Amino acid sequence: MLIARTKQDVQVQAGDAQRKRAYFCPSCQEQVTLKRGTRMVAHFAHRPHSVCRPFSESESQAHLTGKWQLADYFGTDYVELEPYLQALAQRPDLLLKRAGRNLAIEYQCSVIPVSRLQQRNLGYSEFGLEVLWILGADYLQKIKTVRQAEKWLRYSDKLGWYLIFWETRQQGLIIWHHLTMDGTGQLQGWAKVSNGQQYAKNTRITSRAVVQKLQRQVQMGLHYKLPKWLKLQQFCYEHHGLLQAISAICYQFTDTEPVICDSPVIWAALMTILLRERPMGSLIEQADLEKWAMQIRPYFDETQLIQCTVQQVVVSWKRQLQHYVTLLEHQGILKMLDEKTWQLVALPR
């Protein structure tokens, strides 16, 4: 930790602390040890076997450095370092106070279980605090798929789906924004650095590569009788289709919302199989599409968007469905009659 208290209950930062003086944890009141050297960030540490819960986790040098840098980035006049919230027995890394708004900031460099993350979010929420999780630089290399990003993803009208990182070497924020999924379920989008630089987050996979990769997954999944693929194939059989015969149009269902942890192409394939059961010329209502989406939902692992409100997730699913309908319209399969009604004018091939 970066903050401790003296016997006189005066708050002291580790960088300003004096050796041979006694300092105490602001939470448990145990005496702590000042650690400062040429190769480490000045900090206080509990003695071995401490039972202090809010300050029990050992912190890496990257984490300690990042907290100092973030405090400087947001402005030390607006930031309180490691404030102990006694009512919650929690301490955010930073508490940002601006324009009458308090924001708890957590700088996360290590792995944290979803249950622990939810518990901390709930604590802040009950205390009336919004929390912002900023990820350490190691996550820049770790996160490639929706599965790896799901518990950190946030949404805003300005940034779309986004993640925020802090890079200690560059001493700057990196924001991955307007994130979507490609046909294989990999994340794609844009990255913006606090110095103004912006670049594509990754190289987009070609349509041919998507087809080859998914066909290989289907082939291997069925060959080795993997439960996920057998379950999907059974659905296809029941609705007069084959998983190996995905309609070509489905491979164009990319740049989608990160609401599932699977390929959006497979999601579109199941929707299209249900669509093909309807006679040519049928009227397709919005309610039909929503019903189909609910019908196939159990076949996919939904993204755990725990940083989002229920309403944001609901709206995201609506955009996902609209994206699918728009694709069908552009391919001349559905003809729009009004905002919630279409006519089936061609069958997907």
Side-chain angles (χ1 to χ4, degrees):
M1 58 186 174
L2 302 176
I3 303 294
R5 292 188 175 276
T6 66
K7 287 183 178 179
Q8 295 74 34
D9 201 31
V10 176
Q11 182 172 287
V12 176
Q13 293 187 0
D16 300 327
Q18 300 176 18
R19 297 189 183 278
K20 298 183 179 181
R21 291 198 62 180
Y23 296 98
F24 302 87
C25 172
S27 171
C28 67
Q29 313 305 319
E30 292 179 4
Q31 188 168 349
V32 293
T33 303
L34 173 64
K35 294 193 174 183
R36 185 168 58 205
T38 57
R39 296 186 179 182
M40 67 171 62
V41 177
H43 65 284
F44 298 101
H46 280 81
R47 294 173 178 180
H49 311 299
S50 170
V51 295
C52 180
R53 187 166 65 118
F55 291 89
S56 61
E57 296 178 352
S58 59
E59 297 181 89
S60 66
Q61 289 295 299
H63 188 212
L64 293 166
T65 300
K67 286 195 289 187
W68 280 121
Q69 291 177 349
L70 283 166
D72 184 62
Y73 176 82
F74 288 113
T76 52
D77 291 341
Y78 303 100
V79 166
E80 186 177 353
L81 267 170
E82 301 177 338
Y84 178 57
L85 307 179
Q86 190 169 3
L88 302 178
Q90 289 182 203
R91 54 153 187 131
D93 289 323
L94 307 171
L95 186 61
L96 179 62
K97 300 179 179 180
R98 279 186 178 175
R101 177 190 178 197
N102 291 344
L103 177 66
I105 296 177
E106 292 280 11
Y107 180 51
Q108 191 65 31
C109 294
S110 59
V111 176
I112 181 172
V114 171
S115 58
R116 181 85 181 278
L117 188 61
Q118 290 175 314
Q119 182 183 30
R120 292 187 68 82
N121 283 351
L122 180 61
Y124 289 130
S125 177
E126 291 178 345
F127 198 69
L129 272 178
E130 183 183 353
V131 59
L132 175 64
W133 291 86
I134 298 177
L135 304 178
D138 284 351
Y139 277 97
L140 287 166
Q141 306 303 322
K142 292 177 182 177
I143 294 180
K144 293 181 174 62
T145 66
V146 176
R147 175 76 73 191
Q148 294 161 336
E150 59 180 338
K151 62 187 177 185
W152 309 112
L153 282 167
R154 296 171 65 95
Y155 183 84
S156 77
D157 293 337
K158 181 179 180 180
L159 297 173
W161 290 103
Y162 69 96
L163 298 167
I164 301 181
F165 306 84
W166 179 263
E167 225 291 346
T168 54
R169 288 174 297 179
Q170 298 180 19
Q171 297 190 35
L173 284 179
I174 300 175
I175 303 175
W176 289 0
H177 60 96
H178 294 97
L179 295 172
T180 60
M181 290 197 296
D182 67 15
T184 65
Q186 299 282 311
L187 279 176
Q188 59 187 15
W190 294 91
K192 183 177 182 180
V193 187
S194 53
N195 63 13
Q197 180 187 4
Q198 179 155 300
Y199 54 91
K201 193 196 76 64
N202 61 4
T203 304
R204 290 174 177 258
I205 188 169
T206 64
S207 298
R208 183 177 180 181
V210 171
V211 173
Q212 291 175 339
K213 182 174 182 178
L214 288 179
Q215 287 181 345
R216 179 66 173 168
Q217 285 182 351
V218 170
Q219 179 185 6
M220 298 303 292
L222 295 177
H223 176 76
Y224 289 105
K225 299 184 179 347
L226 300 181
K228 168 186 173 180
W229 296 102
L230 291 178
K231 188 178 176 182
L232 288 168
Q233 185 71 300
Q234 182 61 36
F235 176 91
C236 295
Y237 283 157
E238 292 172 358
H239 296 278
H240 313 100
L242 280 175
L243 196 56
Q244 299 94 321
I246 295 175
S247 296
I249 186 177
C250 297
Y251 288 104
Q252 300 179 43
F253 191 63
T254 58
D255 298 323
T256 64
E257 303 272 331
V259 290
I260 58 174
C261 294
D262 297 283
S263 165
V265 170
I266 304 298
W267 183 91
L270 267 57
M271 288 287 290
T272 304
I273 283 174
L274 294 176
L275 177 66
R276 289 177 62 89
E277 289 187 314
R278 300 296 289 269
M280 185 70 68
S282 296
L283 295 183
I284 308 297
E285 305 284 347
Q286 177 74 23
D288 295 322
L289 296 166
E290 292 174 356
K291 179 182 177 181
W292 297 344
M294 289 300 296
Q295 188 175 345
I296 69 172
R297 216 158 167 175
Y299 293 87
F300 299 92
D301 291 333
E302 291 189 37
T303 311
Q304 295 186 68
L305 298 169
I306 62 177
Q307 306 293 344
C308 304
T309 65
V310 173
Q311 182 62 22
Q312 285 175 324
V313 176
V314 169
V315 171
S316 182
W317 269 107
K318 288 182 178 179
R319 288 194 299 263
Q320 172 91 336
L321 196 54
Q322 183 57 52
H323 184 38
Y324 174 68
V325 171
T326 300
L327 174 62
L328 296 179
E329 289 178 340
H330 288 170
Q331 294 297 316
I333 293 169
L334 290 183
K335 179 181 179 181
M336 186 177 186
L337 302 180
D338 60 43
E339 290 185 357
K340 295 187 177 182
T341 309
W342 297 264
Q343 185 174 29
L344 181 60
V345 295
L347 290 178
R349 295 182 179 180

